[in-house]
Amino acid sequence: MTDVLDPVEHSFNCPEFPHDVFYQFEYALRFELGGEGVSTARPVKRFIQAFDRGKSVAAELFDGSQTVWMLTSDYCGAEPPRKRLKPYKCCGLKRKDFQYLGAISQRENPHVDDEDGEVFRHWDAVELADQAQLNELLWLSLGAELGIQPASSSSIYFVDFSRGLVLHPYDDRGMDVAAVCKEDLSSLYYARKDWLLEYNMERMQALFEV
């Protein structure tokens, strides 16, 4: 591992970011992006709503952040997939812009099938230029399941290490946001309460309305 991944352990107390950020962090929000009211039969309309909501939440979360990183992960054998960074070329990022952080064995992960050999989760990181570039990368993540191109199948995390903030868009359905300090999410909770996933609302209310 390089020094870049060390802050994940230091700031967030985990060796790597989980897929279910909402359930693994004490202070977290789960947003509904596409929404129940917009069917997948209308993929363009659904994507537009998901993208607009995602951009708004990201802008509010990282308002005031000096440095935001994007971390991506891909599953493979011992060697990282050769073309894993190709989707980011259309966002102005080249392979040389990324730092390869290393790989973590998924041998203890019950959700990963390793019948054909040991599986590793490979991590790369890049420092983002600005909010506009974050929005481009957000597009790649939210459109994948709907067939919106260009897209990336990698897991993407936007991170401010110094403030202890992480945003994880998992697909057009939703997006998790977590913070080390509760106060960093309170204003976002009240400002975008209508976008929060109803299924998890009871947990979020217990955190932010006490």
Side-chain angles (χ1 to χ4, degrees):
M1 296 296 174
T2 71
D3 292 341
V4 177
L5 199 56
D6 290 343
V8 177
E9 179 76 37
H10 178 73
S11 299
F12 300 98
N13 195 31
C14 56
E16 60 179 348
F17 287 117
H19 291 289
D20 53 347
V21 166
F22 178 76
Y23 292 108
Q24 299 300 320
F25 285 84
E26 182 177 6
Y27 305 119
L29 300 173
R30 172 158 282 187
F31 289 91
E32 185 175 43
L33 298 181
E36 293 291 335
V38 187
S39 169
T40 54
R42 298 284 299 276
V44 175
K45 182 179 181 180
R46 184 178 174 86
F47 174 76
I48 289 172
Q49 176 176 297
F51 186 53
D52 285 345
R53 288 186 177 187
K55 286 191 301 180
S56 296
V57 171
E60 293 174 34
L61 179 70
F62 294 120
D63 182 36
S65 291
Q66 297 299 310
T67 303
V68 177
W69 289 81
M70 181 185 72
L71 273 65
T72 72
S73 70
D74 296 89
Y75 292 95
C76 195
E79 295 297 321
R82 291 185 59 188
K83 296 182 179 181
R84 68 192 184 283
L85 302 178
K86 186 177 180 180
Y88 309 115
K89 185 177 180 181
C90 66
C91 299
L93 293 172
K94 301 178 181 177
R95 177 177 289 271
K96 67 180 181 62
D97 297 323
F98 286 84
Q99 297 185 42
Y100 177 60
L101 307 183
I104 297 179
S105 172
Q106 302 299 301
R107 186 176 299 170
E108 304 300 323
N109 189 338
H111 303 292
V112 175
D113 182 6
D114 60 355
E115 290 185 357
D116 295 328
E118 188 172 4
V119 177
F120 292 85
R121 195 176 183 193
H122 296 269
W123 287 92
D124 294 274
V126 62
E127 184 177 345
L128 303 185
D130 49 31
Q131 181 67 38
Q133 190 171 56
L134 187 155
N135 291 342
E136 291 182 72
L137 295 163
L138 184 65
W139 172 295
L140 298 183
S141 180
L142 297 181
E145 292 293 325
L146 291 172
I148 304 294
Q149 296 295 324
S152 170
S153 59
S154 302
S155 295
I156 292 177
Y157 302 80
F158 299 105
V159 186
D160 182 334
F161 288 107
S162 63
R163 296 175 63 196
L165 303 174
V166 56
L167 182 150
H168 172 50
Y170 44 88
D171 56 34
D172 59 283
R173 294 171 299 163
M175 181 172 70
D176 289 346
V177 172
V180 172
C181 298
K182 174 182 175 180
E183 293 73 19
D184 288 327
L185 295 183
S186 293
S187 60
L188 184 59
Y189 169 80
Y190 286 104
R192 299 300 180 183
K193 193 173 180 179
D194 290 345
W195 295 353
L196 296 174
L197 186 64
E198 183 65 30
Y199 180 81
N200 298 115
M201 183 59 75
E202 185 175 346
R203 178 174 185 250
M204 291 183 280
Q205 286 177 328
L207 279 173
F208 295 98
E209 295 188 21
V210 294

